[in-house]
Amino acid sequence: MRISLCAALLALAAFPVRAQDTEHWDLTDARVAVRLNLDLLAAMGVRVAPAVRPDADGYASYPLAADGRLVALAPRSIFRSVVGGRLQLSGGPALRAKDVTLTFEGAVLRPGSQPSTYAIDAADGTPLFLADHQHVKIDREARTARLFNLGLRLTADLASRLGHPLLADVGIGVLEIDATADIPAGATEQPDGACVTPNWGLPDNDVGLTQASGLQQFANAGGIFAAAPSATLKNVGATEVPWIEMFSATAPPYNNDQHPFLVWNMYRVIDGRLEQIGASGLKHAFLTINFGCPCPSGSILWAVGPGQGCEDEYDSSTNDSPFSLGPRTEVTAHTGVWQRCGSIFDANCDNVRDPVQAFTGASDPRRMTVAATDVLHVSKATQFFYDAWYVVRDDVDIFNTMRYQRVNPTLSGSVWSFPPVGGHTPGAVVDVWVSPSSPGPNAENKRINTGEGWLTVGVRARNVSGLWRYDYAVMNHSFDRRLKSFAAQVPVGASVSNMMFHDVDRSATTDWLASTAPGSLAWTAPTGVAKAPQDWGLLYSFGFTTTAAPSAAGASSIVLGIEEAPGGQIVVPILGPQVP
């Protein structure tokens, strides 16, 4: 998240001024490293020397010598942001592209123009990189500060020099700074009183996703690219939210390592219908920085008071990480409970984290993978969106944890970028296809609370050369028992053609099978195919053409079959073909 320095200072000014509000720490003996995404740089035509073996997350780490100091603001002895000083860098890698060679020799690292950001300028002052979405760990006993998970982004100047001006602001790595913190003798953290004793208040959590931005590619091979966004969220409720890193502790209020989970997806609107074309795995959150409030970072997202909820943020590079990505099926979305035992992180249920498996490439199932053919060679009228949302245990409103953004996917060489079209919008992406409040003619949007999770069904009907085309989008937000069939009514004797089904996985073996009967048509998941039923977090699309004109809103219905025991059906009154 990026906010103005003025706004940050005003936020601090909202709290009572104490003697320690102006406390500053010198950060000295800094050890700086850049961790570079070599695959992404190679796709940009950039070679990095010397060659270094990448870590499990696919990044190669290069240490840099750093001379100088940084100055941190620590009101009430709580680290907030680096606000002054500079480090002169030397050593490190060389980046070469065509006739351009870039080194870090003589470069300067300094605080950026926004809080908790940094800039790296060349020796001649040319802006090279920006770094943001900082995470912090302070060890007061060892008197050290660790600033990490900073997304390292290309400036417009450097992107142009490398021959890819469209890739300005794209993250090509991670910046890390470890330093000695000159914490004043005897200084101790003095958090606001509301940051001391948590009010768990089960089950009344309320977390809002305030920003989902910066979607970017991290790998591209075999016609598939993997991408992830940055995300910022805020405690907008009156109770605290546990944020316990997996395997780190058995902690209240659930006596386990409960934490939020992030998912993201990609969609397109093509030929008037909404389709999902990408779905991430499940990202496990691990640390909250509690920005914008007087609480220290750690394992609780504090509520503090009305309008003063703490915030947390994760960069896209941190979200696209094998250290925290697993299958969505390991979480019960409706409750927000993770099935640790038997998960990919603890396969033998010994409560000890298993070794992290490196990504297998652009098509790794933990990533959000998208086929290039789904965004290339399509009609100019096609619209593309991505969304993101958090799954939070005991969250009273899952829909304010969701945001979507329209983008214009653009290919520069072998690298996709996603320039935004307009602003990001709270809510579910199906609502932009058919607005719940103003759907327009021959359209309807229905949200269903099953008591075990939420669904949304949208429909649009349009006249095409005298026939009626019906397109449905079924979004399973959090219904864990999954859906196995979709049935719609049609008048007996009405002709039906061009039946269409679309899911996200690009595998024909999971496609639902279409059938017709007098007065109805249906799609059913193939039996014996584990991933065929529609799970939470997925949107399935259905469509057909018929001679029957549409009914009034809610005068027809569709029927959704439930996969898992005890089975059953969900009947949704919604616009459809008029049935006598």
Side-chain angles (χ1 to χ4, degrees):
M1 183 186 67
R2 299 179 180 178
I3 64 172
S4 70
L5 180 57
C6 178
L9 293 175
L10 286 173
L12 288 174
F15 305 109
V17 177
R18 303 174 185 176
Q20 287 187 309
D21 279 1
T22 57
E23 183 174 309
H24 289 78
W25 303 344
D26 281 349
L27 304 183
T28 58
D29 302 321
R31 298 162 301 284
V32 177
V34 290
R35 302 176 62 245
L36 302 179
N37 185 330
L38 300 185
D39 288 342
L40 180 58
L41 287 167
M44 297 169 58
V46 178
R47 303 179 307 280
V48 182
V52 173
R53 181 183 295 274
D55 297 332
D57 60 355
Y59 288 73
S61 183
Y62 294 89
L64 300 170
D67 184 39
R69 69 184 178 101
L70 299 172
V71 180
L73 176 66
R76 297 171 301 285
S77 210
I78 301 171
F79 179 95
R80 276 295 168 239
S81 183
V82 171
V83 295
R86 51 185 274 160
L87 299 175
Q88 186 163 343
L89 307 177
S90 59
L95 281 64
R96 298 186 175 94
K98 296 182 179 179
D99 57 349
V100 175
T101 298
L102 167 70
T103 71
F104 288 85
E105 199 67 38
V108 172
L109 186 155
R110 58 177 175 80
S113 60
Q114 306 294 328
S116 300
T117 68
Y118 301 84
I120 297 179
D121 302 329
D124 63 2
T126 303
L128 299 177
F129 301 100
L130 296 173
D132 57 10
H133 294 91
Q134 170 181 271
H135 283 163
V136 179
K137 284 190 176 179
I138 303 298
D139 187 329
R140 302 184 76 88
E141 182 176 345
R143 294 169 62 85
T144 59
R146 182 181 178 221
L147 318 177
F148 63 108
N149 286 340
L150 282 148
L152 190 66
R153 305 181 184 282
L154 299 176
T155 62
D157 297 78
L158 183 53
S160 294
R161 287 177 60 186
L162 295 176
H164 294 280
L166 294 176
L167 301 184
D169 204 39
V170 165
I172 52 85
V174 178
L175 174 68
E176 298 175 344
I177 306 169
D178 290 275
T180 299
D182 184 23
I183 303 172
T188 58
E189 287 185 342
Q190 296 184 19
D192 182 276
C195 309
V196 176
T197 303
N199 171 24
W200 300 120
L202 309 179
D204 297 316
N205 295 328
D206 194 7
V207 172
L209 187 65
T210 60
Q211 191 171 36
S213 61
L215 183 71
Q216 74 160 77
Q217 171 196 310
F218 285 93
N220 186 8
I224 301 294
F225 65 81
S230 302
T232 302
L233 81 168
K234 181 176 182 176
N235 191 333
V236 296
T239 58
E240 273 64 58
V241 176
W243 209 283
I244 314 299
E245 183 176 5
M246 56 180 167
F247 299 100
S248 67
T250 298
Y254 305 108
N255 296 317
N256 62 8
D257 49 359
Q258 186 71 43
H259 48 266
F261 312 91
L262 178 69
V263 295
W264 54 97
N265 311 280
M266 195 166 186
Y267 313 83
R268 67 179 182 181
V269 177
I270 183 169
D271 295 333
R273 64 182 180 270
L274 177 64
E275 298 178 345
Q276 186 172 4
I277 57 175
S280 74
L282 184 81
K283 185 270 175 72
H284 292 250
F286 52 83
L287 173 72
T288 173
I289 62 172
N290 283 328
F291 185 79
C293 72
C295 305
S297 62
S299 58
I300 299 175
L301 184 68
W302 295 87
V304 182
Q308 298 176 2
C310 299
E311 299 183 26
D312 188 59
E313 56 187 12
Y314 286 93
D315 180 65
S316 53
S317 60
T318 309
N319 290 330
D320 182 69
S321 169
F323 289 95
S324 54
L325 275 173
R328 294 186 184 186
T329 52
E330 294 179 355
V331 158
T332 302
H334 177 52
T335 63
V337 177
W338 174 44
Q339 307 300 320
R340 174 198 54 76
C341 178
S343 73
I344 67 167
F345 298 103
D346 186 14
N348 61 0
C349 298
D350 63 356
N351 202 26
V352 176
R353 181 169 179 152
D354 296 340
V356 173
Q357 300 300 312
F359 284 141
T360 56
S363 299
D364 191 288
R366 290 168 287 182
R367 294 173 131 169
M368 185 183 79
T369 62
V370 179
T373 52
D374 282 340
V375 292
L376 279 172
H377 311 303
V378 294
S379 165
K380 291 182 179 179
T382 300
Q383 299 176 345
F384 295 92
F385 299 86
Y386 71 89
D387 69 1
W389 77 76
Y390 272 93
V391 176
V392 180
R393 187 165 177 174
D394 292 322
D395 195 343
V396 298
D397 181 2
I398 71 168
F399 295 102
N400 67 353
T401 70
M402 302 178 183
R403 279 189 178 261
Y404 60 87
Q405 168 75 66
R406 183 180 172 188
V407 291
N408 180 27
T410 303
L411 189 62
S412 178
S414 298
V415 181
W416 288 95
S417 62
F418 306 91
V421 180
H424 52 87
T425 306
V429 74
V430 66
D431 294 349
V432 76
W433 183 59
V434 178
S435 167
S437 58
S438 53
N442 299 321
E444 192 173 6
N445 177 310
K446 277 290 187 70
R447 186 150 293 159
I448 304 103
N449 182 1
T450 68
E452 301 175 85
W454 288 87
L455 306 166
T456 297
V457 179
V459 60
R460 281 198 172 279
R462 63 188 191 276
N463 192 293
V464 181
S465 301
L467 298 176
W468 284 95
R469 177 68 191 177
Y470 294 85
D471 288 296
Y472 294 82
V474 178
M475 183 74 216
N476 182 351
H477 300 291
S478 56
F479 183 66
D480 292 282
R481 289 206 289 133
R482 304 189 296 168
L483 302 175
K484 68 176 182 179
S485 63
F486 173 101
Q489 298 172 294
V490 292
V492 175
S495 66
V496 175
S497 60
N498 298 321
M499 294 179 67
M500 181 280 303
F501 167 82
H502 186 277
D503 60 6
V504 70
D505 64 10
R506 302 185 294 274
S507 172
T509 61
T510 62
D511 286 353
W512 289 15
L513 307 176
S515 62
T516 60
S520 68
L521 49 84
W523 288 261
T524 305
T527 58
V529 181
K531 294 185 178 181
Q534 185 182 0
D535 212 337
W536 74 270
L538 299 179
L539 181 144
Y540 282 12
S541 307
F542 307 86
F544 58 92
T545 300
T546 181
T547 51
S551 66
S556 184
S557 63
I558 57 103
V559 179
L560 304 173
I562 300 173
E563 165 70 9
E564 297 176 18
Q569 296 179 332
I570 301 170
V571 179
V572 184
I574 196 167
L575 178 144
Q578 178 69 54
V579 177

